[in-house]
Amino acid sequence: MLRFMVPSVIGLSFFLLPIPWGGRMTVPFDIAVQWVTRTLPGVVAVYCLILILVGATGSVMASLHGKARIGWVDAYRTSPMLLLFRVLGVPFAIIYLFRVGPHVLLQQGVADLMWNTLAFSVAVIIPIGAALLGLLLRYGFLEFVGTLMRPIMRPLFRLPGRSALDSLTSWVGSYSVGLYLTRSLTQEGYYNRREAYTIVTCFSTVSIGFVGVVAQTLGLLHLFPVIFFTYFVAVYLLTVMLARMWPIKSISREYLGTPRPEATTGSDSGLFREAWERALRQAQEATSFWRTVREGFADGLVLASTILGSILAVGTTALLIAQETPLFTILGRPLVPVLSGLGLPDADLIGPAALVGITEMYIPALLVQDAAMPARFFIAVLSISQLIFFSAVGPMILDMFRAIPVRGRELVALFLLRTALLIPLLALVTALLGWGGVFEGGYHYSPW
């Protein structure tokens, strides 16, 4: 019982325990990441460059040796396209680290976002998160949650109950940690291909903290509970629909590892007892505490080194397309009459913003800062609910789940499907809130 409860409490406290810090409520995980990235920026920058160099070198060596197995290099085998992205990540990292290179790359909206924000965060979040997630995976909490959530997750989302933990880690921690968790469980046979595909494309949500950042950017922090509740409902409502549509419906149900499907025996009336017994059984078979933490941290380092280069290469390209070309303004024009017909103000501003989120989910908020409050609310929820963006989540999914496989064209299709489903839904919510006086001072929320 102690082997189940003590590591689970430590892990849950690290990811979920709300504590005041710097004038806001946050969790120890966020404090640890922020302390490392802000206190030791120079060290983190060099560490990021080393990870990217290791990832590119290992990938090139694995490619040159074909199918021959050569120890640690095997972890870096990848497709030719992702190999190219990992190698291209090296010059981008050098440019960002030493601040020497084309002005278009060194401007604040590109260099600071891709290097100081995304690269630093991913490089620190994944190893730390992987180390502590092992406590929830190996000592019974996964089985405990999975059994309790089975009656909800299976009929609604066609997923095992244990996938609730994947979703939770994204909400309160980071989509990086959620993706790492899903990847680990897929490799160990806990999820089949379709289940893993559904989870990574539908549950890779931005954290609660980032929702607050978007709300603050748009001057809507007083509406934070409304924004978050709408976002929460939209994500799960879309998952119910997308789990039954292409491309998810076309993915096979095969397992990558030795199959460990979730047991469906037992009655719902005895779920807690069944969950408790399964948790104790798993805790009894777990490895030692420090070995679990050490192995998780090492696995997180390897994973971070494989994806950082891809994030820099793909993310920088996507940002430059969004900021330096009129592509999304042109693509967004057909949406203007649709949005206007749905009763949304400033449709000419929110049209391009509705599509540019595929590059980076923060950019739509920057494009509509001067729009009317209903338009800002609409874009705030839309941009964070689209989930798939190619400055980070896109290349991470492509690199981490290439064995399923997940394809780039499918991610683009899912982004467009999510957007098409979200626009009328959020337009209706925006209209209802407008009729209720929410945007005219009829509602006010203060986080203090």
Side-chain angles (χ1 to χ4, degrees):
M1 183 176 67
L2 289 176
R3 283 176 66 86
F4 162 53
M5 295 186 67
V6 173
S8 297
V9 169
I10 294 174
L12 287 173
S13 298
F14 186 72
F15 289 106
L16 298 179
L17 181 66
I19 56 176
W21 181 268
R24 63 190 179 97
M25 296 298 293
T26 186
V27 294
F29 179 45
D30 181 49
I31 294 173
V33 171
Q34 294 296 328
W35 184 88
V36 172
T37 55
R38 293 178 180 178
T39 307
L40 307 168
V43 175
V44 174
V46 175
Y47 157 70
C48 286
L49 177 60
I50 292 173
L51 285 182
I52 292 170
L53 285 170
V54 170
T57 304
S59 300
V60 171
M61 291 176 62
S63 176
L64 293 176
H65 283 79
K67 296 183 179 180
R69 305 189 68 82
I70 46 176
W72 66 273
V73 174
D74 289 332
Y76 294 93
R77 294 188 183 280
T78 188
S79 66
M81 181 61 71
L82 289 173
L83 170 63
L84 175 63
F85 291 151
R86 292 178 186 180
V87 172
L88 288 177
V90 175
F92 281 118
I94 293 173
I95 290 171
Y96 291 143
L97 175 59
F98 297 103
R99 299 288 167 166
V100 177
H103 171 73
V104 70
L105 294 179
L106 297 178
Q107 57 183 318
Q108 185 176 5
V110 177
D112 287 352
L113 178 60
M114 291 307 307
W115 186 246
N116 299 78
T117 301
L118 287 175
F120 279 25
S121 297
V122 171
V124 174
I125 282 173
I126 290 184
I128 294 178
L132 274 296
L133 267 181
L135 303 182
L136 300 179
L137 301 183
R138 310 299 177 202
Y139 292 91
F141 187 76
L142 178 67
E143 291 299 321
F144 185 75
V145 170
T147 304
L148 290 181
M149 293 298 295
R150 188 176 63 209
I152 297 174
M153 303 302 290
R154 182 62 69 181
L156 283 181
F157 311 119
R158 298 182 175 179
L159 294 172
R162 56 173 69 106
S163 62
L165 183 58
D166 302 63
S167 180
L168 182 63
T169 55
S170 291
W171 283 111
V172 301
S174 165
Y175 54 78
S176 305
V177 181
L179 290 172
Y180 168 80
L181 173 60
T182 307
R183 174 180 177 268
S184 299
L185 295 179
T186 303
Q187 291 177 335
E188 295 177 18
Y190 286 99
Y191 299 134
N192 62 41
R193 294 173 189 262
R194 185 182 298 183
E195 291 166 348
Y197 193 107
T198 305
I199 295 168
V200 301
T201 57
C202 295
F203 285 171
S204 299
T205 55
V206 298
S207 66
I208 298 172
F210 187 80
V211 178
V213 171
V214 171
Q216 186 176 36
T217 300
L218 292 172
L220 299 174
L221 197 57
H222 63 290
L223 295 177
F224 178 80
V226 180
I227 292 173
F228 182 78
F229 178 76
T230 307
Y231 168 45
F232 184 88
V233 172
V235 165
Y236 289 114
L237 182 60
L238 258 63
T239 304
V240 171
M241 293 186 282
L242 292 174
R244 293 159 173 81
M245 298 170 61
W246 180 91
I248 293 176
K249 189 178 179 180
S250 65
I251 306 300
S252 76
R253 298 181 184 273
E254 296 177 343
Y255 285 84
L256 297 179
T258 303
R260 298 183 186 181
E262 189 172 75
T264 56
T265 57
S267 62
D268 292 347
S269 60
L271 270 183
F272 186 85
R273 180 176 180 178
E274 181 186 351
W276 181 259
E277 291 174 350
R278 290 183 181 279
L280 296 186
R281 195 177 308 124
Q282 188 179 36
Q284 190 175 22
E285 300 171 354
T287 57
S288 68
F289 180 93
W290 290 114
R291 180 180 175 183
T292 299
V293 172
R294 185 174 64 252
E295 290 179 349
F297 184 79
D299 190 42
L301 282 176
V302 173
L303 177 58
S305 68
T306 63
I307 64 177
L308 270 184
S310 301
I311 289 175
L312 282 187
V314 179
T316 300
T317 303
L319 277 180
L320 292 178
I321 292 173
Q323 296 184 6
E324 303 297 326
T325 74
L327 177 63
F328 288 98
T329 300
I330 295 171
L331 293 177
R333 283 174 184 165
L335 288 179
V336 173
V338 176
L339 296 168
S340 181
L342 291 171
L344 292 165
D346 294 319
D348 56 326
L349 290 178
I350 61 179
L355 295 179
V356 76
I358 196 171
T359 61
E360 161 57 39
M361 68 172 59
Y362 190 61
I363 294 179
L366 301 178
L367 296 181
V368 298
Q369 286 179 303
D370 297 327
M373 188 180 293
R376 282 181 279 142
F377 172 85
F378 175 85
I379 287 297
V381 182
L382 177 68
S383 62
I384 57 180
S385 302
Q386 289 168 320
L387 300 190
I388 297 168
F389 56 100
F390 280 82
S391 65
V393 168
M396 288 176 70
I397 292 176
L398 292 174
D399 216 339
M400 294 168 66
F401 297 91
R402 58 187 182 276
I404 290 180
V406 179
R407 299 177 176 86
R409 61 179 179 272
E410 293 170 351
L411 292 183
V412 173
L414 280 167
F415 172 85
L416 295 175
L417 272 173
R418 297 185 71 90
T419 303
L421 293 171
L422 283 166
I423 285 177
L425 172 65
L426 297 182
L428 175 61
V429 173
T430 303
L432 292 175
L433 293 176
W435 292 333
V438 171
F439 301 126
E440 299 175 1
Y443 174 92
H444 185 78
Y445 163 79
S446 171
W448 308 108

